[in-house]
Amino acid sequence: MILLVSCSLCKNKAIVSLNYAGVSLCGSCFTKNFEKRVSKANKEFKLLWRKDRIAVAISGGKDSAAMLFVLNKLTEKIGEIELIPVLIDEGIKGYRNNALEEAKKLCKKLGFSLKIYSFKKYFGMSLDEMIKKRNSLNSDFCEKGACSICGVFRKWLLNKAAQELEANKLAVGHNLDDVAQTVLMNLFRNEPSRFHRFGVLSGSEEKELFVRRIKPLFFCPERECAIYSILQGLPFYLGECPYSSEAYRGEVKNFLNYLEKKSPGVKFNVVHSFLSLKKELEYCESKKQKTGCSSIPVCSVCGQYSSSKVCKACEYLGELSN
Ligand code: SF4
Ligand code: ZN
Ligand code: ZN
């Protein structure tokens, strides 16, 4: 859509309207606004520190392209921070292989070398093979959605990759839309306990367990990540994962988009409400710790961080090897 209005900040021709803020911006003001938002999140949540070695999860899509670009810019200003782009190859034919090519182009353009970690190598099966296996099982496991399976192994492998690369942090490209969806999904599924493990900055300081995760795009709407990537001329893959139709997330996404259209700012409201709730939860948690009621949970099979005795990745691998 071509806008016939001027930029609210400099009076150049606007290219984008941000309805939730009631402003229209030109390319240059939009870019500054986007980068300022990431920089503000960094300052407020103290995401980036000198001497950090950060594994940056790249998918070949627009969000992680925007994240790598903006992090590269920001860390150059701060100095003494190393970024290592990492791609998890789940083994999804016709999708991840195409996205991988764009990720390679992106890294080449920005002067990084890309580290690739595959499901096949670490779990003995690609996601395509896992889904085939799932479909042949007679247990409850055949009810598991592809994204639940993918998500568990992906999270485990990203953590493993960060550990192997001796990174002290892992940056993931979750944007504001993803965050708002996750918050609602946890509420709809009655899983509020997941809130305390989720945030702009999460994870343990002891890297043997769960490498600290940072989400620099926490306050950047998905649409703006795409516009930012396009404005910077970044390569990214637009295709959709063939399993995405299995995802409950898609329904929540449509619901939120519908509400956002009717009342601009809804997504920001969900995210800010979540952060306020989280503060309360953390207060309760710290009180619990003071009374000695908490311990650091570890998977008894693989030794990785886990909220239960056996982590989900080990539980799923057990099911899949039946
Ligand atoms: Fe994995 Fe689902 Fe994303 Fe596809 S859509 S990459 S299956 S989480
Ligand atoms: Zn402007
Ligand atoms: Zn495990």
Side-chain angles (χ1 to χ4, degrees), residues 156 298-306 309-315:
W156 190 97
V298 175
C299 169
S300 58
V301 180
C302 69
Q304 293 268 3
Y305 171 88
S306 168
K309 208 166 166 244
V310 175
C311 79
K312 282 269 176 253
C314 290
E315 184 194 321

Side-chain angles (χ1 to χ4, degrees), residues 90 92 95-96 119 127 131 146-151 154 240-245 247:
E90 306 90 343
I92 305 173
Y95 170 66
R96 183 58 69 209
F119 275 24
L127 186 69
I131 299 305
C147 295
S148 307
I149 299 173
C150 178
R154 192 183 160 72
E240 267 205 21
C241 171
Y243 300 116
S244 61
S245 56

Side-chain angles (χ1 to χ4, degrees), residues 6-13 26 29:
S6 317
C7 172
S8 310
L9 300 178
C10 74
K11 305 301 168 209
N12 277 337
K13 196 166 159 278
C26 69
C29 291

Side-chain angles (χ1 to χ4, degrees), residues 209-253:
L209 293 177
F210 191 64
V211 179
R212 300 214 98 181
R213 283 178 179 234
I214 57 171
K215 300 191 178 88
L217 306 181
F218 205 87
F219 301 103
C220 301
E222 180 176 320
R223 171 174 169 258
E224 293 174 37
C225 294
I227 298 171
Y228 183 78
S229 292
I230 292 167
L231 288 176
Q232 312 313 317
L234 305 177
F236 61 85
Y237 182 61
L238 262 177
E240 267 205 21
C241 171
Y243 300 116
S244 61
S245 56
E246 284 192 25
Y248 173 50
R249 182 175 284 275
E251 290 174 40
V252 179
K253 182 178 182 164

Side-chain angles (χ1 to χ4, degrees), residues 196 276-294:
H196 84 106
S276 307
L277 272 172
K278 194 175 155 61
K279 250 190 203 158
E280 294 291 325
L281 280 169
E282 277 168 356
Y283 174 70
C284 297
E285 189 65 18
S286 72
K287 261 176 117 181
K288 240 201 240 166
Q289 275 179 8
K290 271 183 202 146
T291 53
C293 298
S294 88

